[in-house]
Amino acid sequence: MPRDGIYRTILWVLALTVVAGAAFAILGATAARDPVMVRVGAGVALVAGVIYAFFRRLGAKQSQRRGDSNE
């Protein structure tokens, strides 16, 4: 699974979502001074980060099971 293209794509999309959520929160805190933007951005980053961690852990377990040494 960790070498599968769709798996890697999911990880990339989740990582970019974390970055976008953090950027949205920072923009809301600094330029817009909008607490709703901060909450939404932080929430998106947090949820995407948890899902990312879940997929990374799932991939690590799958690699261990198959005996891969790269992941």
Side-chain angles (χ1 to χ4, degrees):
M1 179 152 88
R3 292 185 182 174
D4 190 19
I6 190 70
Y7 174 77
R8 291 203 184 269
T9 302
I10 289 170
L11 287 179
W12 274 106
V13 167
L14 287 169
L16 291 174
T17 303
V18 170
V19 170
F24 197 72
I26 291 168
L27 181 66
T30 57
R33 297 193 191 280
D34 185 4
V36 175
M37 282 180 69
V38 174
R39 279 187 243 132
V40 169
V44 167
L46 181 65
V47 169
V50 168
I51 296 170
Y52 177 86
F54 170 77
F55 271 95
R56 288 294 293 192
R57 186 171 299 234
L58 184 69
K61 285 183 180 181
Q62 187 70 20
S63 289
Q64 260 184 345
R65 217 175 291 154
R66 288 194 316 180
D68 293 347
S69 60
N70 293 343
E71 289 286 316

PDB file of all heavy atoms in Angstrom, residues 11-38:
ATOM      1  N   LEU A  11      -1.703  11.164   0.703  1.00  0.00           N
ATOM      2  CA  LEU A  11      -0.805  11.797   1.677  1.00  0.00           C
ATOM      3  C   LEU A  11      -0.424  13.213   1.246  1.00  0.00           C
ATOM      4  O   LEU A  11      -0.390  14.136   2.067  1.00  0.00           O
ATOM      5  CB  LEU A  11       0.445  10.944   1.881  1.00  0.00           C
ATOM      6  CG  LEU A  11       0.243   9.654   2.670  1.00  0.00           C
ATOM      7  CD1 LEU A  11       1.557   8.898   2.767  1.00  0.00           C
ATOM      8  CD2 LEU A  11      -0.309   9.941   4.053  1.00  0.00           C
ATOM      9  N   TRP A  12      -0.126  13.394  -0.047  1.00  0.00           N
ATOM     10  CA  TRP A  12       0.231  14.727  -0.544  1.00  0.00           C
ATOM     11  C   TRP A  12      -0.932  15.695  -0.404  1.00  0.00           C
ATOM     12  O   TRP A  12      -0.765  16.841   0.027  1.00  0.00           O
ATOM     13  CB  TRP A  12       0.694  14.670  -2.002  1.00  0.00           C
ATOM     14  CG  TRP A  12       2.145  14.364  -2.121  1.00  0.00           C
ATOM     15  CD1 TRP A  12       2.708  13.190  -2.516  1.00  0.00           C
ATOM     16  CD2 TRP A  12       3.231  15.243  -1.834  1.00  0.00           C
ATOM     17  NE1 TRP A  12       4.078  13.283  -2.478  1.00  0.00           N
ATOM     18  CE2 TRP A  12       4.423  14.541  -2.069  1.00  0.00           C
ATOM     19  CE3 TRP A  12       3.310  16.562  -1.400  1.00  0.00           C
ATOM     20  CZ2 TRP A  12       5.672  15.115  -1.882  1.00  0.00           C
ATOM     21  CZ3 TRP A  12       4.566  17.137  -1.209  1.00  0.00           C
ATOM     22  CH2 TRP A  12       5.722  16.404  -1.451  1.00  0.00           C
ATOM     23  N   VAL A  13      -2.130  15.251  -0.750  1.00  0.00           N
ATOM     24  CA  VAL A  13      -3.303  16.130  -0.638  1.00  0.00           C
ATOM     25  C   VAL A  13      -3.550  16.506   0.820  1.00  0.00           C
ATOM     26  O   VAL A  13      -3.848  17.667   1.132  1.00  0.00           O
ATOM     27  CB  VAL A  13      -4.540  15.458  -1.276  1.00  0.00           C
ATOM     28  CG1 VAL A  13      -5.811  16.189  -0.910  1.00  0.00           C
ATOM     29  CG2 VAL A  13      -4.375  15.368  -2.778  1.00  0.00           C
ATOM     30  N   LEU A  14      -3.416  15.547   1.716  1.00  0.00           N
ATOM     31  CA  LEU A  14      -3.614  15.846   3.135  1.00  0.00           C
ATOM     32  C   LEU A  14      -2.548  16.810   3.658  1.00  0.00           C
ATOM     33  O   LEU A  14      -2.859  17.728   4.428  1.00  0.00           O
ATOM     34  CB  LEU A  14      -3.626  14.559   3.957  1.00  0.00           C
ATOM     35  CG  LEU A  14      -4.881  13.711   3.793  1.00  0.00           C
ATOM     36  CD1 LEU A  14      -4.679  12.338   4.443  1.00  0.00           C
ATOM     37  CD2 LEU A  14      -6.087  14.415   4.396  1.00  0.00           C
ATOM     38  N   ALA A  15      -1.310  16.622   3.253  1.00  0.00           N
ATOM     39  CA  ALA A  15      -0.243  17.524   3.691  1.00  0.00           C
ATOM     40  C   ALA A  15      -0.482  18.939   3.166  1.00  0.00           C
ATOM     41  O   ALA A  15      -0.315  19.922   3.904  1.00  0.00           O
ATOM     42  CB  ALA A  15       1.108  17.002   3.214  1.00  0.00           C
ATOM     43  N   LEU A  16      -0.892  19.055   1.919  1.00  0.00           N
ATOM     44  CA  LEU A  16      -1.185  20.379   1.363  1.00  0.00           C
ATOM     45  C   LEU A  16      -2.400  21.013   2.049  1.00  0.00           C
ATOM     46  O   LEU A  16      -2.449  22.230   2.219  1.00  0.00           O
ATOM     47  CB  LEU A  16      -1.417  20.273  -0.143  1.00  0.00           C
ATOM     48  CG  LEU A  16      -0.181  19.929  -0.970  1.00  0.00           C
ATOM     49  CD1 LEU A  16      -0.555  19.711  -2.430  1.00  0.00           C
ATOM     50  CD2 LEU A  16       0.876  21.007  -0.838  1.00  0.00           C
ATOM     51  N   THR A  17      -3.352  20.192   2.457  1.00  0.00           N
ATOM     52  CA  THR A  17      -4.519  20.703   3.178  1.00  0.00           C
ATOM     53  C   THR A  17      -4.113  21.247   4.543  1.00  0.00           C
ATOM     54  O   THR A  17      -4.630  22.281   4.981  1.00  0.00           O
ATOM     55  CB  THR A  17      -5.586  19.604   3.326  1.00  0.00           C
ATOM     56  OG1 THR A  17      -5.929  19.118   2.030  1.00  0.00           O
ATOM     57  CG2 THR A  17      -6.825  20.125   4.022  1.00  0.00           C
ATOM     58  N   VAL A  18      -3.191  20.581   5.208  1.00  0.00           N
ATOM     59  CA  VAL A  18      -2.683  21.079   6.495  1.00  0.00           C
ATOM     60  C   VAL A  18      -2.013  22.439   6.288  1.00  0.00           C
ATOM     61  O   VAL A  18      -2.277  23.385   7.043  1.00  0.00           O
ATOM     62  CB  VAL A  18      -1.701  20.070   7.133  1.00  0.00           C
ATOM     63  CG1 VAL A  18      -0.995  20.686   8.324  1.00  0.00           C
ATOM     64  CG2 VAL A  18      -2.433  18.807   7.545  1.00  0.00           C
ATOM     65  N   VAL A  19      -1.190  22.550   5.271  1.00  0.00           N
ATOM     66  CA  VAL A  19      -0.496  23.813   5.005  1.00  0.00           C
ATOM     67  C   VAL A  19      -1.498  24.915   4.650  1.00  0.00           C
ATOM     68  O   VAL A  19      -1.393  26.049   5.137  1.00  0.00           O
ATOM     69  CB  VAL A  19       0.548  23.621   3.877  1.00  0.00           C
ATOM     70  CG1 VAL A  19       1.113  24.944   3.418  1.00  0.00           C
ATOM     71  CG2 VAL A  19       1.662  22.695   4.349  1.00  0.00           C
ATOM     72  N   ALA A  20      -2.483  24.587   3.810  1.00  0.00           N
ATOM     73  CA  ALA A  20      -3.481  25.581   3.427  1.00  0.00           C
ATOM     74  C   ALA A  20      -4.311  26.023   4.630  1.00  0.00           C
ATOM     75  O   ALA A  20      -4.603  27.217   4.782  1.00  0.00           O
ATOM     76  CB  ALA A  20      -4.391  25.009   2.340  1.00  0.00           C
ATOM     77  N   GLY A  21      -4.685  25.098   5.486  1.00  0.00           N
ATOM     78  CA  GLY A  21      -5.444  25.454   6.683  1.00  0.00           C
ATOM     79  C   GLY A  21      -4.644  26.349   7.612  1.00  0.00           C
ATOM     80  O   GLY A  21      -5.167  27.324   8.169  1.00  0.00           O
ATOM     81  N   ALA A  22      -3.368  26.026   7.771  1.00  0.00           N
ATOM     82  CA  ALA A  22      -2.508  26.860   8.624  1.00  0.00           C
ATOM     83  C   ALA A  22      -2.341  28.255   8.024  1.00  0.00           C
ATOM     84  O   ALA A  22      -2.395  29.260   8.746  1.00  0.00           O
ATOM     85  CB  ALA A  22      -1.152  26.185   8.800  1.00  0.00           C
ATOM     86  N   ALA A  23      -2.166  28.329   6.712  1.00  0.00           N
ATOM     87  CA  ALA A  23      -2.034  29.629   6.047  1.00  0.00           C
ATOM     88  C   ALA A  23      -3.316  30.441   6.203  1.00  0.00           C
ATOM     89  O   ALA A  23      -3.283  31.659   6.440  1.00  0.00           O
ATOM     90  CB  ALA A  23      -1.695  29.433   4.573  1.00  0.00           C
ATOM     91  N   PHE A  24      -4.457  29.787   6.086  1.00  0.00           N
ATOM     92  CA  PHE A  24      -5.747  30.448   6.247  1.00  0.00           C
ATOM     93  C   PHE A  24      -5.891  30.993   7.669  1.00  0.00           C
ATOM     94  O   PHE A  24      -6.366  32.122   7.866  1.00  0.00           O
ATOM     95  CB  PHE A  24      -6.863  29.452   5.930  1.00  0.00           C
ATOM     96  CG  PHE A  24      -8.202  30.066   5.669  1.00  0.00           C
ATOM     97  CD1 PHE A  24      -8.450  30.771   4.504  1.00  0.00           C
ATOM     98  CD2 PHE A  24      -9.226  29.921   6.594  1.00  0.00           C
ATOM     99  CE1 PHE A  24      -9.689  31.325   4.266  1.00  0.00           C
ATOM    100  CE2 PHE A  24     -10.469  30.474   6.364  1.00  0.00           C
ATOM    101  CZ  PHE A  24     -10.702  31.181   5.187  1.00  0.00           C
ATOM    102  N   ALA A  25      -5.470  30.210   8.647  1.00  0.00           N
ATOM    103  CA  ALA A  25      -5.547  30.654  10.041  1.00  0.00           C
ATOM    104  C   ALA A  25      -4.614  31.830  10.292  1.00  0.00           C
ATOM    105  O   ALA A  25      -4.985  32.803  10.971  1.00  0.00           O
ATOM    106  CB  ALA A  25      -5.212  29.493  10.977  1.00  0.00           C
ATOM    107  N   ILE A  26      -3.418  31.767   9.751  1.00  0.00           N
ATOM    108  CA  ILE A  26      -2.460  32.865   9.935  1.00  0.00           C
ATOM    109  C   ILE A  26      -2.960  34.133   9.248  1.00  0.00           C
ATOM    110  O   ILE A  26      -2.875  35.228   9.810  1.00  0.00           O
ATOM    111  CB  ILE A  26      -1.067  32.453   9.413  1.00  0.00           C
ATOM    112  CG1 ILE A  26      -0.483  31.381  10.331  1.00  0.00           C
ATOM    113  CG2 ILE A  26      -0.140  33.653   9.309  1.00  0.00           C
ATOM    114  CD1 ILE A  26       0.744  30.702   9.779  1.00  0.00           C
ATOM    115  N   LEU A  27      -3.490  33.985   8.051  1.00  0.00           N
ATOM    116  CA  LEU A  27      -4.048  35.129   7.334  1.00  0.00           C
ATOM    117  C   LEU A  27      -5.218  35.732   8.112  1.00  0.00           C
ATOM    118  O   LEU A  27      -5.350  36.959   8.208  1.00  0.00           O
ATOM    119  CB  LEU A  27      -4.510  34.707   5.935  1.00  0.00           C
ATOM    120  CG  LEU A  27      -5.105  35.792   5.049  1.00  0.00           C
ATOM    121  CD1 LEU A  27      -4.030  36.812   4.704  1.00  0.00           C
ATOM    122  CD2 LEU A  27      -5.680  35.182   3.792  1.00  0.00           C
ATOM    123  N   GLY A  28      -6.042  34.887   8.680  1.00  0.00           N
ATOM    124  CA  GLY A  28      -7.164  35.380   9.480  1.00  0.00           C
ATOM    125  C   GLY A  28      -6.719  36.095  10.739  1.00  0.00           C
ATOM    126  O   GLY A  28      -7.368  37.044  11.177  1.00  0.00           O
ATOM    127  N   ALA A  29      -5.623  35.647  11.306  1.00  0.00           N
ATOM    128  CA  ALA A  29      -5.133  36.265  12.546  1.00  0.00           C
ATOM    129  C   ALA A  29      -4.398  37.571  12.290  1.00  0.00           C
ATOM    130  O   ALA A  29      -4.449  38.484  13.118  1.00  0.00           O
ATOM    131  CB  ALA A  29      -4.215  35.304  13.282  1.00  0.00           C
ATOM    132  N   THR A  30      -3.736  37.668  11.154  1.00  0.00           N
ATOM    133  CA  THR A  30      -2.900  38.849  10.908  1.00  0.00           C
ATOM    134  C   THR A  30      -3.589  39.874  10.014  1.00  0.00           C
ATOM    135  O   THR A  30      -3.898  40.970  10.463  1.00  0.00           O
ATOM    136  CB  THR A  30      -1.554  38.441  10.291  1.00  0.00           C
ATOM    137  OG1 THR A  30      -1.784  37.717   9.085  1.00  0.00           O
ATOM    138  CG2 THR A  30      -0.749  37.580  11.243  1.00  0.00           C
ATOM    139  N   ALA A  31      -3.833  39.538   8.782  1.00  0.00           N
ATOM    140  CA  ALA A  31      -4.341  40.515   7.819  1.00  0.00           C
ATOM    141  C   ALA A  31      -5.829  40.805   8.003  1.00  0.00           C
ATOM    142  O   ALA A  31      -6.248  41.957   8.040  1.00  0.00           O
ATOM    143  CB  ALA A  31      -4.083  40.035   6.392  1.00  0.00           C
ATOM    144  N   ALA A  32      -6.629  39.786   8.120  1.00  0.00           N
ATOM    145  CA  ALA A  32      -8.076  39.981   8.186  1.00  0.00           C
ATOM    146  C   ALA A  32      -8.574  40.251   9.599  1.00  0.00           C
ATOM    147  O   ALA A  32      -9.649  40.813   9.778  1.00  0.00           O
ATOM    148  CB  ALA A  32      -8.788  38.758   7.611  1.00  0.00           C
ATOM    149  N   ARG A  33      -7.819  39.809  10.587  1.00  0.00           N
ATOM    150  CA  ARG A  33      -8.228  39.927  12.002  1.00  0.00           C
ATOM    151  C   ARG A  33      -9.640  39.383  12.205  1.00  0.00           C
ATOM    152  O   ARG A  33     -10.486  40.012  12.836  1.00  0.00           O
ATOM    153  CB  ARG A  33      -8.113  41.359  12.477  1.00  0.00           C
ATOM    154  CG  ARG A  33      -6.717  41.888  12.440  1.00  0.00           C
ATOM    155  CD  ARG A  33      -6.614  43.188  13.200  1.00  0.00           C
ATOM    156  NE  ARG A  33      -5.345  43.839  12.970  1.00  0.00           N
ATOM    157  CZ  ARG A  33      -4.210  43.521  13.578  1.00  0.00           C
ATOM    158  NH1 ARG A  33      -4.203  42.562  14.449  1.00  0.00           N
ATOM    159  NH2 ARG A  33      -3.097  44.166  13.320  1.00  0.00           N
ATOM    160  N   ASP A  34      -9.851  38.210  11.642  1.00  0.00           N
ATOM    161  CA  ASP A  34     -11.162  37.564  11.698  1.00  0.00           C
ATOM    162  C   ASP A  34     -11.038  36.269  12.493  1.00  0.00           C
ATOM    163  O   ASP A  34     -10.401  35.307  12.032  1.00  0.00           O
ATOM    164  CB  ASP A  34     -11.655  37.283  10.282  1.00  0.00           C
ATOM    165  CG  ASP A  34     -13.062  36.726  10.236  1.00  0.00           C
ATOM    166  OD1 ASP A  34     -13.701  36.620  11.299  1.00  0.00           O
ATOM    167  OD2 ASP A  34     -13.517  36.415   9.115  1.00  0.00           O
ATOM    168  N   PRO A  35     -11.639  36.200  13.674  1.00  0.00           N
ATOM    169  CA  PRO A  35     -11.513  34.985  14.492  1.00  0.00           C
ATOM    170  C   PRO A  35     -12.163  33.752  13.851  1.00  0.00           C
ATOM    171  O   PRO A  35     -11.742  32.632  14.111  1.00  0.00           O
ATOM    172  CB  PRO A  35     -12.211  35.348  15.806  1.00  0.00           C
ATOM    173  CG  PRO A  35     -13.025  36.547  15.524  1.00  0.00           C
ATOM    174  CD  PRO A  35     -12.400  37.244  14.354  1.00  0.00           C
ATOM    175  N   VAL A  36     -13.152  33.956  13.013  1.00  0.00           N
ATOM    176  CA  VAL A  36     -13.780  32.814  12.335  1.00  0.00           C
ATOM    177  C   VAL A  36     -12.796  32.181  11.354  1.00  0.00           C
ATOM    178  O   VAL A  36     -12.694  30.948  11.267  1.00  0.00           O
ATOM    179  CB  VAL A  36     -15.086  33.248  11.627  1.00  0.00           C
ATOM    180  CG1 VAL A  36     -15.657  32.097  10.819  1.00  0.00           C
ATOM    181  CG2 VAL A  36     -16.094  33.741  12.638  1.00  0.00           C
ATOM    182  N   MET A  37     -12.054  33.002  10.628  1.00  0.00           N
ATOM    183  CA  MET A  37     -11.037  32.463   9.707  1.00  0.00           C
ATOM    184  C   MET A  37      -9.980  31.675  10.471  1.00  0.00           C
ATOM    185  O   MET A  37      -9.524  30.629  10.005  1.00  0.00           O
ATOM    186  CB  MET A  37     -10.364  33.596   8.917  1.00  0.00           C
ATOM    187  CG  MET A  37     -11.178  34.127   7.772  1.00  0.00           C
ATOM    188  SD  MET A  37     -10.344  35.462   6.882  1.00  0.00           S
ATOM    189  CE  MET A  37      -9.008  34.580   6.097  1.00  0.00           C
ATOM    190  N   VAL A  38      -9.611  32.179  11.625  1.00  0.00           N
ATOM    191  CA  VAL A  38      -8.608  31.494  12.440  1.00  0.00           C
ATOM    192  C   VAL A  38      -9.137  30.126  12.865  1.00  0.00           C
ATOM    193  O   VAL A  38      -8.445  29.107  12.737  1.00  0.00           O
ATOM    194  CB  VAL A  38      -8.216  32.339  13.674  1.00  0.00           C
ATOM    195  CG1 VAL A  38      -7.292  31.558  14.586  1.00  0.00           C
ATOM    196  CG2 VAL A  38      -7.576  33.647  13.241  1.00  0.00           C
TER     197      VAL A  38
END
